[in-house]
Amino acid sequence: MTAGAKGGLRWWIIGLVAVATVINYIDRNALAVMWPAISKDIGADKADYALLVTIFMLAYACGQTLFGRLFDVIGTRLGFTVSILVWSASIALHSVARGLGTFGVLRATLGVSEAGNWPGAVKVNALWFPSNERAFAQGIFNSGAAIGAIIAAPLVALLFDRFGWQATFLVVGVLGAAWLLPWLLVYRGDPGAHPWLSEAERAHITGRTADAVRQDYAPRVRDLLRHKQSWAIILSRFFLDPVWWLFVSWLPIYLAETFGFNVQKIGLFAWVPFVGAMFGSLGGGWLAGVLIRRGWHVLTARKAMIALGGAIMLPALLLTANAATPLYAVLLIAAILFGFQVAINNIQTLPSDYFGGGAVGSLAGISGSAAVAGTLITTWLVPVMTGHGYAPIFILAAAIVPVSVGAIFFLGGRTAPLADPDVTKRGNA
């Protein structure tokens, strides 16, 4: 197998990561889609669902940092293998759960292991793509989350209707194990050692002048936190990611409580907003690449896309607070998720713009954990703030969007890649 400089193996690699992300979202969304039926079977309510979301997110936060470091230590090929094996087993075992306690344990193991997909994907992007392609590659990966959410609602509803919720968990658990076969076949190593990678494509990936600085500087975790740029990413994700998770975790419940939907109707409507997310993933990444190729500085292009995403999200969130029909609501949420993905694509690309391959997984993991911390606050607030409708939580989400965007503009700096400050001081002495 050979690959050319302008298209080839790197696109197959990121395509496989996108497919893993599709499976990741089918697995995690299955519980939310079937919750109206599962809750009746096990005698649970909305507060119990919030508890399960909290357990998942706490484990997910730990998993982000754990796998971020693990990918830097054991490598991308093995890191993804461990992550997807554990999460596939966890979702399949949901089929034997009979109470809230068992579901809680399984949501914890699912959260830890599914978290590995994100720092792993960011690391793949940093290793395999030049800066002008990186946001689009990130968009391909992130579109997997949207496609997974698009597929999850109707697929899970169909399987539930035919087989019940226990068998549905078993079926979706098989998908991850099946993904491992092409992954282990295709991902034989990183670009420096992959036997299928042509010299032309290897040069295209690694032959950038700026990368000499970036690849040399791979700081440890405590050194990462000395940079305000790291905190720009961490704080931005802390404030922005709760918007995404608000709809990933609560959209089916929102539709059920606001419009009286059952599992089948949720399956008909809940996929629509994630079409917007898919186009935002691809469009935001593509447009950032266009700007860079036209001579924009990498960070300027990233910030422009992040600001654009925030400008789309803010008014759409405020309008959703008063949505009177399910169609109007899901179309507005599609706009919100479009803007979110335009912004988050470029935020998630920043670790690879700032730092070397040896630090990308770690910073992606830390910022992912910060994102979960912010999401947990939202998760705890939803049952409290939605007793008389969901408008208050949508207004809160609108309020935190400009804070996230502001963190990037005020702390993100103007220079990338970053050099070791100690080396720079010695060089200037």
PDB file of all heavy atoms in Angstrom, residues 356-368:
ATOM      1  N   GLY A 356       4.855  20.136  21.132  1.00  0.00           N
ATOM      2  CA  GLY A 356       5.331  18.980  20.389  1.00  0.00           C
ATOM      3  C   GLY A 356       4.482  17.752  20.615  1.00  0.00           C
ATOM      4  O   GLY A 356       3.648  17.692  21.506  1.00  0.00           O
ATOM      5  N   GLY A 357       4.734  16.734  19.774  1.00  0.00           N
ATOM      6  CA  GLY A 357       3.954  15.503  19.834  1.00  0.00           C
ATOM      7  C   GLY A 357       3.985  14.839  21.186  1.00  0.00           C
ATOM      8  O   GLY A 357       3.032  14.179  21.593  1.00  0.00           O
ATOM      9  N   GLY A 358       5.070  15.011  21.939  1.00  0.00           N
ATOM     10  CA  GLY A 358       5.176  14.385  23.233  1.00  0.00           C
ATOM     11  C   GLY A 358       4.335  15.026  24.313  1.00  0.00           C
ATOM     12  O   GLY A 358       4.227  14.495  25.412  1.00  0.00           O
ATOM     13  N   ALA A 359       3.746  16.194  24.051  1.00  0.00           N
ATOM     14  CA  ALA A 359       2.929  16.880  25.050  1.00  0.00           C
ATOM     15  C   ALA A 359       1.478  17.032  24.630  1.00  0.00           C
ATOM     16  O   ALA A 359       0.632  17.388  25.450  1.00  0.00           O
ATOM     17  CB  ALA A 359       3.515  18.268  25.330  1.00  0.00           C
ATOM     18  N   VAL A 360       1.163  16.761  23.379  1.00  0.00           N
ATOM     19  CA  VAL A 360      -0.182  17.018  22.872  1.00  0.00           C
ATOM     20  C   VAL A 360      -1.225  16.185  23.605  1.00  0.00           C
ATOM     21  O   VAL A 360      -2.274  16.687  24.021  1.00  0.00           O
ATOM     22  CB  VAL A 360      -0.240  16.746  21.356  1.00  0.00           C
ATOM     23  CG1 VAL A 360      -1.683  16.711  20.864  1.00  0.00           C
ATOM     24  CG2 VAL A 360       0.524  17.833  20.617  1.00  0.00           C
ATOM     25  N   GLY A 361      -0.943  14.900  23.777  1.00  0.00           N
ATOM     26  CA  GLY A 361      -1.903  14.042  24.468  1.00  0.00           C
ATOM     27  C   GLY A 361      -2.148  14.505  25.891  1.00  0.00           C
ATOM     28  O   GLY A 361      -3.283  14.509  26.374  1.00  0.00           O
ATOM     29  N   SER A 362      -1.084  14.923  26.570  1.00  0.00           N
ATOM     30  CA  SER A 362      -1.222  15.364  27.961  1.00  0.00           C
ATOM     31  C   SER A 362      -2.084  16.615  28.067  1.00  0.00           C
ATOM     32  O   SER A 362      -2.997  16.688  28.907  1.00  0.00           O
ATOM     33  CB  SER A 362       0.161  15.626  28.561  1.00  0.00           C
ATOM     34  OG  SER A 362       0.925  14.441  28.613  1.00  0.00           O
ATOM     35  N   LEU A 363      -1.818  17.636  27.217  1.00  0.00           N
ATOM     36  CA  LEU A 363      -2.607  18.862  27.287  1.00  0.00           C
ATOM     37  C   LEU A 363      -4.050  18.611  26.841  1.00  0.00           C
ATOM     38  O   LEU A 363      -4.991  19.162  27.426  1.00  0.00           O
ATOM     39  CB  LEU A 363      -1.974  19.965  26.438  1.00  0.00           C
ATOM     40  CG  LEU A 363      -2.707  21.315  26.461  1.00  0.00           C
ATOM     41  CD1 LEU A 363      -2.904  21.820  27.893  1.00  0.00           C
ATOM     42  CD2 LEU A 363      -1.957  22.341  25.630  1.00  0.00           C
ATOM     43  N   ALA A 364      -4.227  17.775  25.821  1.00  0.00           N
ATOM     44  CA  ALA A 364      -5.587  17.437  25.399  1.00  0.00           C
ATOM     45  C   ALA A 364      -6.333  16.741  26.527  1.00  0.00           C
ATOM     46  O   ALA A 364      -7.528  16.987  26.750  1.00  0.00           O
ATOM     47  CB  ALA A 364      -5.543  16.540  24.158  1.00  0.00           C
ATOM     48  N   GLY A 365      -5.644  15.869  27.261  1.00  0.00           N
ATOM     49  CA  GLY A 365      -6.287  15.182  28.365  1.00  0.00           C
ATOM     50  C   GLY A 365      -6.644  16.115  29.511  1.00  0.00           C
ATOM     51  O   GLY A 365      -7.745  16.044  30.072  1.00  0.00           O
ATOM     52  N   ILE A 366      -5.718  17.009  29.874  1.00  0.00           N
ATOM     53  CA  ILE A 366      -5.981  17.954  30.968  1.00  0.00           C
ATOM     54  C   ILE A 366      -7.144  18.880  30.609  1.00  0.00           C
ATOM     55  O   ILE A 366      -8.049  19.122  31.417  1.00  0.00           O
ATOM     56  CB  ILE A 366      -4.721  18.770  31.289  1.00  0.00           C
ATOM     57  CG1 ILE A 366      -3.628  17.870  31.857  1.00  0.00           C
ATOM     58  CG2 ILE A 366      -5.033  19.902  32.279  1.00  0.00           C
ATOM     59  CD1 ILE A 366      -2.261  18.523  31.915  1.00  0.00           C
ATOM     60  N   SER A 367      -7.124  19.415  29.396  1.00  0.00           N
ATOM     61  CA  SER A 367      -8.208  20.309  28.985  1.00  0.00           C
ATOM     62  C   SER A 367      -9.521  19.549  28.864  1.00  0.00           C
ATOM     63  O   SER A 367     -10.597  20.097  29.150  1.00  0.00           O
ATOM     64  CB  SER A 367      -7.864  21.008  27.666  1.00  0.00           C
ATOM     65  OG  SER A 367      -7.665  20.080  26.619  1.00  0.00           O
ATOM     66  N   GLY A 368      -9.451  18.273  28.476  1.00  0.00           N
ATOM     67  CA  GLY A 368     -10.652  17.452  28.444  1.00  0.00           C
ATOM     68  C   GLY A 368     -11.222  17.242  29.832  1.00  0.00           C
ATOM     69  O   GLY A 368     -12.449  17.258  30.028  1.00  0.00           O
TER      70      GLY A 368
END
